[in-house]
């Protein structure tokens, strides 16, 4: 039982119960009041995926950029970890998928131990391992989770099903400023509506 909207059951009235929750029709033929209990609302669910399908040398980092390809990958891992921690702090159930490196997806749950397991998985990523284009991603529709994908360099929206939010490690500095970027990666201050990330 909880504070949701769905019916869970009936129970005897207690002094701390308000009259709004009394089941008046069911109470009419009884000598005591019955109270409607509601279900506990489901917490929001989120799957965080980090896209490491592209090898470090193929990320296409320009010489004038302030960071190299390996640093972009490290930043992508940091950004994914930040999203996991922030979502957990906001009460989300969170899961993790590392794409392109042989790694089993971590299911969507919410406990401090589960959050620590995801952070440990991110910390253990060996960026020197061979990459593959194979994507192991649970069906997010079936698990009822939204999907956020973190890319080191360029966004590749075709790597996952539609409807996902995409961020890149190149956005890390601007993401710490509230309102600096839209969820799809557009710069809210300078890019016109509908511009590609």
């Amino acid at each position: 039982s909880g504070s949701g909207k769905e019916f869970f059951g009936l129970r005897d009235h207690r002094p701390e119960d308000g009259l709004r929750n009394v089941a008046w029709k069911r109470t009419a033929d009884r000598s005591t009041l019955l109270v409607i209990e509601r279900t506990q609302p489901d917490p929001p669910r989120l799957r965080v995926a980090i896209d490491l399908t592209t090898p470090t040398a193929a990320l296409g980092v320009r010489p004038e950029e302030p960071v190299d390809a390996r640093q972009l990958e490290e930043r992508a891992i940091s950004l994914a970890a930040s999203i996991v921690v922030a979502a957990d702090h906001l009460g989300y159930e969170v899961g993790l998928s590392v794409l392109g490196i042989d790694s089993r997806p971590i299911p969507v749950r919410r406990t401090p131990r589960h959050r620590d397991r995801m952070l440990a998985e991110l910390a253990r990523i060996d960026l020197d391992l061979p990459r593959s284009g194979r994507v192991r991603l649970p069906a997010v529709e079936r698990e009822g989770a939204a999907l956020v994908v973190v890319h080191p360099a360029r966004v590749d929206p075709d790597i996952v099903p539609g409807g996902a939010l995409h961020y890149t490690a190149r956005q890390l500095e601007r993401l710490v400023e509230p309102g600096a970027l839209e969820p799809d990666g557009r710069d809210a201050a300078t890019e016109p509506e509908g511009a590609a990330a």
Side-chain angles (χ1 to χ4, degrees):
S1 65
S3 59
K5 297 185 189 295
E6 299 291 322
F7 178 79
F8 181 75
L10 296 173
R11 64 169 171 76
D12 288 331
H13 182 269
R14 291 183 227 152
E16 66 269 12
D17 292 328
L19 293 177
R20 253 176 39 197
N21 294 328
V22 171
W24 291 107
K25 289 183 181 181
R26 298 295 292 264
T27 300
D29 60 345
R30 296 176 53 114
S31 60
T32 60
L33 295 176
L34 291 176
V35 174
I36 298 172
E37 282 192 302
R38 305 287 179 188
T39 59
Q40 187 171 5
D42 286 337
R45 297 166 65 87
L46 178 70
R47 174 158 295 281
V48 178
I50 180 166
D51 174 14
L52 296 175
T53 56
T54 305
T56 307
L59 285 177
V61 178
R62 296 181 303 273
E64 66 272 9
E65 287 192 59
V67 294
D68 63 23
R70 181 52 58 95
Q71 289 171 319
L72 278 179
E73 289 177 323
E74 293 288 348
R75 286 181 175 202
I77 293 169
S78 295
L79 180 54
S82 298
I83 293 170
V84 166
V85 170
D88 179 72
H89 179 73
L90 292 171
Y92 282 63
E93 290 183 344
V94 186
L96 176 69
S97 294
V98 180
L99 312 177
I101 292 177
D102 190 28
S103 171
R104 294 179 60 95
I106 296 176
V108 175
R109 294 196 183 110
R110 182 167 189 260
T111 65
R113 186 172 178 222
H114 183 71
R115 180 202 57 224
D116 293 345
R117 177 182 170 202
M118 289 183 287
L119 295 176
E121 181 73 16
L122 288 168
R124 276 194 300 268
I125 292 174
D126 183 354
L127 294 171
D128 293 323
L129 289 174
R131 310 294 171 86
S132 83
R134 191 178 62 160
V135 173
R136 292 180 69 181
L137 190 66
V140 289
E141 306 86 35
R142 256 188 294 152
E143 67 183 5
L147 179 60
V148 172
V149 184
V150 178
H151 306 269
R154 301 193 63 129
V155 170
D156 179 7
D158 297 329
I159 197 165
V160 295
L165 297 177
H166 296 268
Y167 292 101
T168 71
R170 287 182 168 126
Q171 299 169 324
L172 194 57
E173 285 80 19
R174 293 185 292 170
L175 287 173
V176 296
E177 299 174 25
L181 290 174
E182 298 296 322
D184 62 0
R186 289 184 295 114
D187 188 328
T190 61
E191 290 191 25
E193 190 86 20

